[in-house]
Amino acid sequence: MKNLIILISSCTALFFSGVAAHAADGAKKGGDGLPDPGVVFVKGQTAIVITDPQIDFLSPDGVAWALVGKSVTKNGTVENIEKLMKIAGEKDILLVISPHFYAPQDLTFKHGGALEHAMHGIKMFESDERLDQAGFKPSTGPDFMPQYKKYINNGKTAVANPHKVYGPDTNDTVLQLRKRNVSKIILAGMSANLCTESHLREFMEQGFEVLVVKDATAAAQLPGMDGYAAAMTNVRMIANGVRTTEEVLVQINKEL
Amino acid sequence: MKNLIILISSCTALFFSGVAAHAADGAKKGGDGLPDPGVVFVKGQTAIVITDPQIDFLSPDGVAWALVGKSVTKNGTVENIEKLMKIAGEKDILLVISPHFYAPQDLTFKHGGALEHAMHGIKMFESDERLDQAGFKPSTGPDFMPQYKKYINNGKTAVANPHKVYGPDTNDTVLQLRKRNVSKIILAGMSANLCTESHLREFMEQGFEVLVVKDATAAAQLPGMDGYAAAMTNVRMIANGVRTTEEVLVQINKEL
Amino acid sequence: MKNLIILISSCTALFFSGVAAHAADGAKKGGDGLPDPGVVFVKGQTAIVITDPQIDFLSPDGVAWALVGKSVTKNGTVENIEKLMKIAGEKDILLVISPHFYAPQDLTFKHGGALEHAMHGIKMFESDERLDQAGFKPSTGPDFMPQYKKYINNGKTAVANPHKVYGPDTNDTVLQLRKRNVSKIILAGMSANLCTESHLREFMEQGFEVLVVKDATAAAQLPGMDGYAAAMTNVRMIANGVRTTEEVLVQINKEL
Amino acid sequence: MKNLIILISSCTALFFSGVAAHAADGAKKGGDGLPDPGVVFVKGQTAIVITDPQIDFLSPDGVAWALVGKSVTKNGTVENIEKLMKIAGEKDILLVISPHFYAPQDLTFKHGGALEHAMHGIKMFESDERLDQAGFKPSTGPDFMPQYKKYINNGKTAVANPHKVYGPDTNDTVLQLRKRNVSKIILAGMSANLCTESHLREFMEQGFEVLVVKDATAAAQLPGMDGYAAAMTNVRMIANGVRTTEEVLVQINKEL
């Protein structure tokens, strides 16, 4: 056991020394010994992307509250997302929303993963919105949180089409960003290990730089399966950086 | 605390009852209360996909062994991957390999996430393979494990181009599968929470059904960041099913 | 010149003889000497996909009629699309609509190609539809053709999210198909060399088999730039087959 | 007929007037009445992408010469591609090559479009290159043109993995560009209406700005199917701009 710890220590040391050799990228070391490349914000090239800021996830009235409510409350997720939306408007930073949403015909999909089944089971994010029909009823589960609407409907925020699994692969989030020359993303929203992490992973495949805001997200916590802990491990390894809302606000005020 | 547990219990009950209502899919309940849709294997429509079966991950000679070796050893990952490769040949099941690999010019990428930096730091998966040059030297880090080569070079296995981040988004794995009418995937390989999970997530976005083999994978375990635990939480929620190698072999022998 | 013709003739002969050697695929020869693999329809694996069946393209009231009207009229595109929609309902074939559509914020994209500029110039496909708002006004340009609505709103047809450039890369058309086990596509709609052809190209990259219905599409014809002729050349080379509506109806009646 | 011409004229006038209203983009009018947005080159954000600069397409020794040779010769394609490669080195502009290439196992794909069949028929772009094997023999059909090798093997050029259908969807071309902050593409190579056009279309879906070099490409010309003419119609409509090699060199010398 002692040997193992030594091995790990020497390895993380190796990781950092290797990164030092990869100096062109200027990656600093985090307190955990892993590289912490971070993202330098540049005006006009930086956007805030929020996944699933919807009632079903963020309100006690939402169908998933029993699963995620504890994590949402502990992190102050609702308030932290609002802080990010607010500064986007103040600093003229592009805000992009990628919502989760099922139209009636999506319920005839013939197969899906465990949580896809679960979501359909509790009728999460379901609406009869259709291209030629009226939108869904305000303040039902798939709707945006009421306090976010003034930031979303301000005439500047881009609302991508709904994604249908977890990632932005099936909607136009990436296009919304690229058509506005954005290459650096501040990522937050729900839920940490599902839609937020899938957005992170796809953004990295697409060559974006991504900073994840760890307390402006939250996740389902089930016995033996802590979605928030899982996400924190994975986003630390995958993203360019992981920061608190407070740290991101400070960096935005300094750089944008 | 007691209340919370009750909430969670009633919620997972709700999840299952909901799924029961979604009966067309016939999703059964797992021991953990989550839906367990599973995948029914169909001859000619099912493939085994292995991510990164390479020396740098799976051998004590590999550069990442200090990080993943404990998990690889505990799971019997090397042997379990071989069992899957072996039955693929015996049962004429398509085997697809999605390797991880950096060509020299990839090292001039201008940015990357934490583990991308770390991998470049330890020169993981690096080779001078190029379209018009000789391949990499046998038995170096990016090479396949020696005992796997007879299964990979059997004239039937499809080796996709190397992926460059974690997922199959930047290579031809999906095309290799779809051009052969495969829609059901048995997924294993390295490492659980990075390339294997990113393959799972992208496969789900692409509408595949995926069964993850939980002991034919493994992951980096760092202080406070257990990549394997994170992966197990996420694949349980995302995939159609999670099984042991033994369970998969039994199902293959029964259905294929 | 005579030499050239001989070269071409011997080459197309070579193409066919080569294909004969590639006999596993059983590709027949078209009247033009090119392989004509075709698509064998299989119940439950075949869908009809229609791009942009909207007023702006298909009605004299649409903003693009001056550009495409002649081609639409000559091909009988409006009627032929309806024939495909009708038989989809009768034969229980999945019908998927992939509409073209710009939300208000899309007009702040910072760059686009020539026709993207042109479309914004004539306010084509623009609407204020948003996730939390009412849909667009019936019978305006982005709306579906009135006679198609009974097929689209029949509770079975899947309407994908709008695509934003020309292809299905930015919407969920592929997911709609794969989640229902569809691998064979009968493709039609507007406009032949832009959205229809981009859908064809992406479907081929995704490993679908695609039959293009050549008289259930049409295109802009400008001086020196015949979009329909361009599409017919390209889809002949790229698709698995190109057929008339009548031929497709006969094949459907025989095979589905 | 006279009426039609008037309609078209008034429509292109409408297109331009509309674009004038869309003035934020500053799109100028081309001689053909269509918007001509063009691309402003910016140092460090601009790359030259060449598709399929390989013997099978560009040399009389290549298997497709009988189909494309006339177009290649007329356009001076071989020389014009070299001019682009040369100035890339001189001006330190990123050069990315996206080759076309089939590994042995790719020949067991179960279906494909007409030209995919034709290419397999004449054994185009086939090699036994594999991740753990030696590369293909120099100067065979899939190899790069000999005179291009000094530009490709200069230690700076990025060679993407081979694409397997026509577009960059199945390789890492987009990642190679985005990981180096490139958003503006000068596109050339073979063949105009297949791989080059599919790269253009996918790049547009990904939000790049693309300038197509019309005489640094060429295409198959078959009786009744002129691939080059088809491509010229489509790229004019889709790309941000279409220029000659000479015009691009002038612009590079001015802006980069």
Side-chain angles (χ1 to χ4, degrees), chain C residues 238-253:
Chain C
I238 294 169
N240 297 70
V242 182
R243 302 286 184 270
T244 63
T245 302
E246 193 52 37
E247 289 168 338
V248 166
L249 295 180
V250 168
Q251 189 181 348
I252 287 173
N253 278 316

Side-chain angles (χ1 to χ4, degrees), chain C residues 58 71-72 75-82 148 189-190 215-218:
Chain C
L58 289 171
S71 180
V72 168
N75 287 350
T77 309
V78 175
E79 298 76 18
N80 286 331
I81 289 174
E82 185 167 2
Y148 296 164
M190 292 295 289
D215 55 359
T217 184

Side-chain angles (χ1 to χ4, degrees), chain C residues 11 15 18 25 37 67 110-115 117-118 121 166-167 169 193-194 197-198 201-202 205 207 234 237 239-240, chain D residues 11 15 18 25 37 67 110-112 114-115 117-118 121 166-167 169 193-194 197-198 201-202 205 207 234 237-240:
Chain C
C11 181
F15 261 45
D25 294 277
L67 291 166
K110 292 191 187 307
H111 46 82
L115 264 282
H117 276 266
Y166 303 111
D169 308 61
N193 67 319
L194 297 176
E197 187 178 331
S198 276
R201 288 182 188 248
E202 181 63 12
E205 300 290 334
N234 288 349
M237 292 190 182
N240 297 70
Chain D
C11 182
F15 261 46
D25 294 278
L67 291 166
K110 291 191 189 306
H111 47 81
L115 264 282
H117 276 266
Y166 304 111
D169 309 60
N193 68 319
L194 298 175
E197 187 178 332
S198 276
R201 289 181 188 249
E202 181 63 14
E205 300 289 334
N234 288 349
M237 293 189 183
I238 294 170
N240 296 71

Side-chain angles (χ1 to χ4, degrees), chain C residues 133-145:
Chain C
Q133 297 177 342
F136 49 66
K137 293 168 206 69
S139 299
T140 53
D143 199 6
F144 296 127
M145 290 285 277

